[in-house]
Amino acid sequence: MTEIMEIQAEDPKFHVLFIPGNPGVVPFYKDFLESLYEFLDGNASITAIGQISQTTKDWEPGRLFSLQEQIDHKVGFIRQDMEGVKVPIILVAHSIGSYISLDILRKFSEKVVYCIGLYPFLTLNKQSTKQSLIGKLAASSVLSATASFLIASLRLLPVWAARRLVSNSLGASWSDTAVQATCTHLRQYHTMRNVLYMAMTEFRELAAEPDWDFMRENQSRLAFLFGIDDHWGPLQLFEEISKQAPGTSLSIEREGHTHAFCCTVAGSVWVAQHVATLIKNRFTHLQ
């Protein structure tokens, strides 16, 4: 069980499947997805699928899901729930979702025609102190449980107080959508435990280099957007992709948005317009 968001076009020319990062809470991306639908002029239906057990309700009590299990879940969703989709599928993904989307492309090369990774997390950044600290927290079951309990204890606050706390601590620029998603989803113990457990398995899997052979073979179907100061998708990864798979469409966002672009209205709209432009330029015949 997981959460999905769907926007159905009347006569779609293609279908966008969105894979979030971690936290993989779909409501964080509501402004982005609605903007993307508008910028695509009603030519695409959109489906966004969240990560398992990062939800308002604990549908999988006591279970923790690894990165590979999250990948298997997305693959199963495409096989079962998107079997009837007759138009081409375009993958759009954020952060670790970009890594997941590459595996989906590998398994559904006939269905998926394009893959767009936003601020991609594809391999560990050994130069990042932040990543090192997050990795140590996630690797300790005691620290992860303690952190999850402390965050979940914020549920004791009334909603208005929680919203004010989130707004004051995370920044006034955060959208109402992002503040609401934080209050409804991240104050859940099971959600935070799964966020950190998934992160632990990400750090294990992404210690290896990206599969450059696969990326070279599919470079004409790949596009990535990087940020200026993003330790998850650093510019050295941008440079490495440009060397290893030079046919990949690569862009750098210089507008001052962050890895958490979906948490502001301005970031959501800018990235949605960028994605729509990529799709329109790549598939003029589908418009």
Side-chain angles (χ1 to χ4, degrees), residues 8-191:
Q8 296 290 346
E10 289 186 11
D11 183 24
K13 305 298 187 298
F14 47 93
H15 197 115
V16 172
L17 176 62
F18 179 74
I19 310 295
N22 181 22
V25 175
V26 168
F28 273 112
Y29 299 90
K30 181 175 181 289
D31 294 339
F32 165 71
L33 295 167
E34 290 178 346
S35 296
L36 180 58
Y37 178 80
E38 294 298 325
F39 286 131
L40 289 173
D41 306 317
N43 284 314
S45 291
I46 297 177
T47 300
I49 178 169
Q51 309 295 7
I52 320 171
S53 207
Q54 298 186 21
T55 51
T56 52
K57 294 183 179 180
D58 188 5
W59 286 313
E60 306 287 348
R63 292 190 63 187
L64 299 175
F65 294 89
S66 67
L67 172 61
Q68 186 57 55
E69 287 171 316
Q70 298 287 4
I71 293 173
D72 293 342
H73 172 253
K74 308 305 175 287
V75 169
F77 178 82
I78 295 172
R79 284 183 175 148
Q80 296 176 25
D81 294 72
M82 300 189 71
E83 185 180 11
V85 174
K86 303 303 181 184
V87 294
I89 294 174
I90 295 174
L91 296 175
V92 179
H94 177 219
S95 192
I96 190 63
S98 303
Y99 180 91
I100 294 173
S101 69
L102 289 176
D103 214 15
I104 293 173
L105 175 60
R106 190 192 310 273
K107 292 178 171 62
F108 297 97
S109 58
E110 294 183 2
K111 276 181 173 279
V112 176
V113 295
Y114 203 35
C115 179
I116 302 172
L118 308 172
Y119 305 86
F121 180 32
L122 302 179
T123 187
L124 290 186
N125 178 4
K126 296 176 182 177
Q127 300 175 12
S128 171
T129 303
K130 287 183 180 179
Q131 275 194 30
S132 177
L133 291 173
I134 294 170
K136 290 176 181 177
L137 169 63
S140 168
S141 59
V142 173
L143 290 177
S144 293
T146 302
S148 300
F149 175 79
L150 290 174
I151 294 171
S153 67
L154 296 177
R155 293 178 63 192
L156 298 173
L157 295 174
V159 174
W160 67 266
R163 288 180 63 89
R164 179 174 293 180
L165 177 63
V166 170
S167 297
N168 291 340
S169 60
L170 297 178
S173 64
W174 271 39
S175 65
D176 288 341
T177 299
V179 170
Q180 180 67 16
T182 301
C183 292
T184 55
H185 289 68
L186 297 189
R187 290 194 300 162
Q188 306 288 342
Y189 178 81
H190 70 277
T191 293

Side-chain angles (χ1 to χ4, degrees), residues 119 225-228 251-259 270-271:
Y119 305 86
L225 173 67
F226 286 80
I228 289 291
S251 307
I252 300 175
E253 174 265 303
R254 304 180 187 274
E255 303 298 314
H257 305 301
T258 66
H259 186 84
W270 191 92
V271 175

